[in-house]
Amino acid sequence: MLVYHLPGTLDTREADLDLLWAAGATGLEERAGVIRAYFDARTDLPPQVGDGEWREEADQDWLAEFKRTLRPVRAGRVTIVPPWLREEVEAGQLPLVIEPGMAFGTGHHATTRLAVEALSDLNLATLGPEGTGARVLDVGTGSGVLAIAAALLGARFAFGVDIDPITIPIARENASENGVPAGRARFEEGTLGEDALTFPEEDVDAYDVLVANLYAELHDLLAGDYAAHLVPGGPLVLTGILTVKLPLVRAALEREGFGDVQETLDGEWALVTARA
Ligand code: SAM
């Protein structure tokens, strides 16, 4: 197996990843500060990614290897686990089972964990009209992990949207795996803004809680739509924000009239909460 080892991470060299794909990489992953790009044959690479090294490695079952390394992830009252670690969830914790696959959101990224912790800190079961449970909108749902966490934490229903159609059946399957019925967690392809989809719950044009694990520039673009889709005073939970990009998000929230802005940091990642 031919692997090109490039120093850096998928985040720090995000701009170079397209060059690797364009050069014929069949897969990319990151381990211990090195990007591993898999190729079928050696090829000339552009100078921007010329600081790496070609290596022939013994074939290995990488998926099995990856699965062996997974551990339960504790996030507030929730523990996120792959199906084969379900029995390892401690008593008193809510198990959230996610099959690692094509959609982002296994709980192993700091931003997912931060967002589940923030949802866990909200009293989702007693928010909403007459305290019957929060109506939660999850923008950029991926594996559905945040919408499913909200439903498990007592939300009346959670609605997950994503622009990537591949995520929708995965999120639905994960909800079903967690015993969350379609009436409590729905998933549709879509987004906010110009291409906003029509929300299936017709009586709902504003949600009690909005959570979005995207990135700072997109939060800046969507901040007005976040305000439009939240009830007055409703909590907004944003992550996927690199700490260096926090000023952009702060400014967007101030521009759109959000208050009570609070930040939680985890390494290079930040989570921001605010109220509409
Ligand atoms: N919510 C999951 C989590 O917290 O682990 C997945 C978050 S993942 C970082 C971001 C997801 O947002 C991806 O599935 C991506 O397809 C989706 N996405 C990107 N831009 C979007 C947009 N403008 N509207 C809706 N979803 C978007």
Side-chain angles (χ1 to χ4, degrees), residues 54-211:
W54 291 102
R55 291 196 195 168
E56 267 305 335
E57 294 184 1
D59 278 340
Q60 236 175 313
D61 184 343
W62 293 112
L63 183 61
E65 179 86 350
F66 166 68
K67 285 183 165 185
R68 258 197 305 280
T69 63
L70 287 179
R71 299 305 311 146
V73 174
R74 198 178 167 117
R77 288 180 282 145
V78 175
T79 298
I80 309 165
V81 279
W84 58 93
L85 294 181
R86 197 190 292 255
E87 303 309 318
E88 291 195 18
V89 177
E90 286 171 32
Q93 283 292 102
L94 284 167
L96 198 175
V97 177
I98 297 288
E99 173 79 47
M102 298 285 287
F104 187 106
T106 57
H108 291 83
H109 197 272
T111 57
T112 309
R113 195 177 60 247
L114 285 167
V116 175
E117 275 167 9
L119 290 172
S120 180
D121 284 345
L122 295 170
N123 222 338
L124 295 178
T126 56
L127 290 176
E130 289 142 34
T132 54
R135 299 158 302 177
V136 178
L137 179 60
D138 170 17
V139 184
T141 198
S143 67
V145 57
L146 304 182
I148 298 167
L152 295 174
L153 286 161
R156 193 161 104 203
F157 68 78
F159 184 32
V161 298
D162 201 295
I163 48 164
D164 184 351
I166 204 173
T167 62
I168 304 305
I170 295 171
R172 288 180 185 150
E173 178 64 32
N174 280 327
S176 156
E177 176 77 14
N178 284 281
V180 175
R184 297 280 309 287
R186 296 187 60 150
F187 299 95
E188 303 289 345
E189 182 183 343
T191 185
L192 301 177
E194 275 178 24
D195 302 324
L197 50 77
T198 309
F199 296 113
E201 284 73 18
E202 283 170 22
D203 56 332
V204 174
D205 51 13
Y207 288 75
D208 303 305
V209 176
L210 193 155
V211 62

